[in-house]
Each structure stands twice: as structure tokens, then as C-alpha cells.
């Protein structure tokens, strides 16, 4: 385990947090077996913690229009483009598990255009990365490509909202120098025995 700090900002003690924030963190710890560092780092500001995870869950915990694995694909590809180590490593682990594919996260973070994904997923990521890096140039032609691949207006909104949310998250993680948990690096790489 690394001795490096989780964040360049103070990380509060669980006992010092408001009950709802502490309960959320403990629930995640029970489910995952560890506390992802993002929860501890963002608890530095409880109001923002609540808002962040409410919007995160609204975007990432549904399975309509996009699968949960496709939602994670967007996070990993755009976080790679934004050079966010924390989100690439953490969401790469989640993606490997949700996609049941130990290779896909590394491929998407490095060069999604060479990844083992469907043409539909390629179009989704072309749009997401363009929106992440050059949003002012997104236009009707980009939307038409997504619709030709079977995405409806609500799925396109989700692609855009996930991209925008994680653009903010990537920048915040880079600002605070958020360190990925060591546990993330091995998750989903080998089948469970």
C-alpha cells in the first residue's frame, strides 16, 4: 500500500463527518471492501460531496439507453483524454468488472480508436471525446452520427452529461492530486476464483 497522501487538501476523519456522509462512506466500504479515495477527499466539503455523488449516481447507476459498462467506457476514454490518473484507474477497474473484459479499460484509456469495441460504442466515444476536448465544435452532424448508430435523444443527453460531469471531476481530481487506491489496479484483471 502506498504511503503517499490521498489529496493535497486535508482529508477529514470519518468520526468528524456529518452522519449522512459518514454512512455513505461506510456503505461503500462494506460493498467494495475498501474506501475509494475520492469519497474521503471530497468529504473535505460535505455539501459538495452530497451534490457530487447525487449527480454521479443519477448519471451512472441507471441502465437505460446506455449500459452501465458503456457509461464507464465514456468515463475511461474521456478521463484518458483529460489525463486524469484517478478516474482512469478507478473507473477502469469498474469498467473491467462491468464489461467482464480485462483488456478494455487499458485500451480505452490509451487509444479508444484501437479498442475491442463495437462500431456503436466507437461512435459514442468519438462524440464523448470531441465534447470533452472541443465542445464548441459539436454540431448537428455529430448528433446525426449518433442517431444513425441507434442512440435516441435521451441516450445522447446521457453521453453528454457523463462527459461533462467527468470533465469537472477530472479537473478536480487533478487539482487536488487525488491518488488512486492501490486496490483498483488489480480489480477485474483476473477471473474470480
Amino acid at each position: 500500500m502506498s504511503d503517499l497522501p490521498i489529496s493535497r487538501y486535508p482529508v477529514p476523519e470519518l468520526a468528524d463527518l456529518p452522519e449522512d456522509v459518514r454512512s455513505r462512506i461506510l456503505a461503500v466500504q462494506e460493498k467494495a471492501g475498501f474506501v475509494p479515495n475520492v469519497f474521503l477527499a471530497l468529504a473535505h466539503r460535505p455539501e459538495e460531496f452530497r451534490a457530487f455523488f447525487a449527480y454521479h449516481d443519477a448519471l451512472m447507476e441507471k441502465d437505460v439507453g446506455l449500459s452501465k459498462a458503456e457509461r464507464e467506457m465514456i468515463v475511461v476514454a474521456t478521463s484518458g483524454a483529460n489525463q486524469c490518473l484517478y478516474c482512469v484507474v478507478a473507473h477502469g477497474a469498474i469498467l473491467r468488472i462491468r464489461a467482464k473484459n480485462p483488456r478494455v479499460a487499458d485500451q480505452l484509456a490509451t487509444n479508444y480508436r484501437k479498442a475491442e469495441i463495437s462500431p456503436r460504442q466507437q461512435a459514442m466515444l468519438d462524440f464523448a471525446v470531441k465534447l470533452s476536448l472541443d465542445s464548441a465544435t459539436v454540431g448537428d452532424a455529430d448528433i446525426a452520427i449518433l442517431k444513425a448508430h441507434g442512440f435516441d435523444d435521451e441516450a445522447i443527453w446521457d453521453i453528454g452529461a457523463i462527459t461533462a460531469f467527468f470533465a469537472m471531476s477530472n479537473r478536480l481530481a487533478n487539482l487536488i492530486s487525488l491518488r488512486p487506491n492501490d486496490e483498483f489496479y488489480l480489480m477485474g484483471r483476473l477471473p474470480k476464483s
Side-chain angles (χ1 to χ4, degrees), residues 61-184:
E61 295 303 322
K62 59 184 172 181
D63 210 358
V64 177
L66 305 172
S67 70
K68 288 183 179 181
E70 287 172 331
R71 291 169 189 279
E72 295 295 340
M73 287 178 176
I74 295 166
V75 178
V76 173
T78 61
S79 296
N82 288 323
Q83 299 181 38
C84 179
L85 178 64
Y86 184 87
C87 291
V88 165
V89 172
H91 287 275
I94 297 167
L95 173 57
R96 286 190 297 272
I97 291 165
R98 289 193 168 163
K100 296 176 178 53
N101 180 339
R103 298 177 306 279
V104 69
D106 295 333
Q107 293 170 356
L108 294 180
T110 304
N111 183 350
Y112 75 92
R113 291 178 184 95
K114 306 277 186 204
E116 300 164 12
I117 58 176
S118 71
R120 178 182 186 272
Q121 292 164 339
Q122 173 80 41
M124 173 185 77
L125 296 180
D126 284 341
F127 180 79
V129 170
K130 181 176 183 177
L131 185 63
S132 184
L133 299 178
D134 197 14
S135 64
T137 66
V138 170
D140 291 342
D142 301 297
I143 302 298
I145 291 168
L146 290 175
K147 288 189 174 193
H149 281 88
F151 293 101
D152 65 15
D153 288 335
E154 295 305 312
I156 294 168
W157 179 285
D158 282 347
I159 296 167
I162 292 164
T163 299
F165 178 80
F166 279 94
M168 182 273 297
S169 180
N170 296 160
R171 284 150 181 83
L172 186 58
N174 283 332
L175 165 71
I176 67 174
S177 196
L178 186 58
R179 181 176 54 82
N181 299 69
D182 292 339
E183 292 89 344
F184 284 128

Side-chain angles (χ1 to χ4, degrees), residues 18-34:
E19 177 57 34
D20 64 313
V21 174
R22 182 173 50 253
S23 294
R24 172 80 191 251
I25 292 171
L26 292 173
V28 168
Q29 181 180 30
E30 186 174 322
K31 182 177 180 181
F34 66 99

